Amino acid sequence: MILTVTLNTALDLTYRVPRIDVHGSHQVREVVQRPGGKGLNVARVLAALGHGTVATGFAGGLTGSELRELLARERNITDELVPTSGSTRRTVGVVDESGGGSTQFNEPGPHISPEEWSAFQDTYARLLRDGGVNGDGDGEGVEAVALCGSLPPGVPVGAYAQLTREAHAAGVPVVLDTSGEPLRRGLAARPDLVKPNAVELAGITGTTEPLRAARAAQRRGAHSVAASLGPEGMLLVTPDGMWQAGPPRSLTGNPTGAGDSAVAGLLSGMVEELPWPDRLARAVALSAATVRAPTAGEFDEELHADLLSQVTVEESGETAPG
C-alpha cells in the first residue's frame, strides 16, 4: 500500500474553451470536476496502475464534502483525510483547445489550526504504524510515502521534513514533490527521492543548469533527484548513476498534472523494485500520456503503453555524488 499526503487538497475544475481571449467572454464547452491537489492526482494514477493507495491530508467545508464524495467513487483509494473547519480550496484550469495550453487559477487553501495539525499528525503516525484502514492492523503495510504539493496556511514550513523523518523512523521510503522553502527544509531530512521541475530546482539551488542543480540538491540531503524538464522529459540523478529520457514525440493537450503522473510512475517503480532506467521510462511515458487526458490525475492508457515501448533512456558515464 502506498500512502499519499496532500495537505492542501483541492476540488479541481477543468474548463475547455475554443480559445482564450484575455478580457473577453468565453463559452465553456465542457466542465469536469475531480478530487485534486498533487497527492490526490498521484493517488488516482497509482490506482489506475493497480496499486492500493491511502490518501490523507485535509478536507473541509462544502468543497471538501464534494471532494470526498468524488474520491469515494475512485477504485483502489482509501480516504483517510482529516476534517478541517475551513473550506477546501478550488483550482480552476482553463484549457485553450486552439493551442493546447492551460491557464491555472489556484486558491490558497484553508487555515489549519494547531488542533487540526495535531489531529493530522496522529492520523499519519497511525497509518505508518498500522497501515490498512482505520488503524485496525488488518490492511497492508505502507510500502512508500508521497509528500506532495503546497502547504496550506497554518501548517509549519518544516512540515515535510518532520513527516519525512517520521516515515524513515518507521522504515518507509519517501518521495517529496513540493517547492520553495518547504522543499528546502525537506531536503535536510534526506528524502529518498525529490521530484522538482527545473524552475523549482533552480529556486532552491541557485543554478539553472539541471545537472548541477540536481547535484546541489543531493548535497543538501536528497538521496536521488528526478528533475522534470518539461517537453524535454526528465533527468534522473542517483548515487548509482544518471539518466535522461524524453517522450518520443511532441504531444499537445492539457499539461496540468503531468508532473504528478511522473511521481506516480517513479513511486510505482520504487515499490515494484524496478531498475532506475525502467522507473524513469515509466515516469516519462505517464507524464506524456497525461497531456492527452482531459484532467489531472488521469492518463491515456493506450497512449501510455505505446509511448513506454518507445521511450529511450540515455545513461551518463558519470556517477553523481550521494
Side-chain angles (χ1 to χ4, degrees), residues 63-132:
T63 51
S65 296
E66 191 166 3
L67 180 152
R68 299 186 82 162
E69 289 176 9
L70 292 170
L71 191 61
R73 303 175 192 173
E74 302 281 348
R75 298 179 60 187
N76 291 333
I77 301 178
T78 300
D79 177 355
E80 285 279 1
L81 295 170
V82 175
T84 179
S85 60
S87 184
T88 296
R89 66 187 178 132
R90 295 160 296 183
T91 63
V92 179
V94 184
V95 179
D96 184 336
E97 294 180 334
S98 67
S102 175
T103 301
Q104 197 77 11
F105 300 89
N106 299 328
E107 296 179 359
H111 187 277
I112 304 301
S113 70
E115 294 76 18
E116 290 164 345
W117 176 238
S118 179
F120 167 80
Q121 290 176 285
D122 290 343
T123 296
Y124 183 73
R126 169 174 59 78
L127 291 170
L128 287 175
R129 180 183 67 247
D130 299 328

Side-chain angles (χ1 to χ4, degrees), residues 94 108 122-123 143 155 165 198 248 280 291 297 299:
V94 184
D122 290 343
T123 296
E143 299 171 276
V155 172
R165 293 186 183 101
L280 178 59
V291 173
F299 62 96

Side-chain angles (χ1 to χ4, degrees), residues 41-43 45-46 49 259-269 282-283 286:
N41 292 338
V42 171
V45 174
L46 286 169
L49 293 172
D260 304 330
S261 291
V263 171
L266 293 164
L267 259 173
S268 60
R282 179 183 291 181
L286 277 171

Side-chain angles (χ1 to χ4, degrees), residues 186-275:
L187 290 177
R190 303 191 64 79
D192 299 84
L193 176 68
V194 295
K195 206 289 303 169
N197 61 38
V199 173
E200 292 164 346
L201 194 54
I204 63 165
T205 63
T207 177
T208 58
E209 201 287 310
L211 178 55
R212 290 181 182 175
R215 285 173 162 170
Q218 283 187 305
R219 289 194 293 272
R220 287 164 170 77
H223 185 264
S224 300
V225 180
S228 294
L229 306 177
E232 297 179 11
M234 182 173 289
L235 171 69
L236 179 62
V237 181
T238 80
D240 301 319
M242 298 180 291
W243 297 266
Q244 187 165 343
R249 59 184 181 274
S250 178
L251 298 169
T252 60
N254 179 10
T256 306
D260 304 330
S261 291
V263 171
L266 293 164
L267 259 173
S268 60
M270 173 186 288
V271 300
E272 294 171 29
E273 299 183 342
L274 298 180

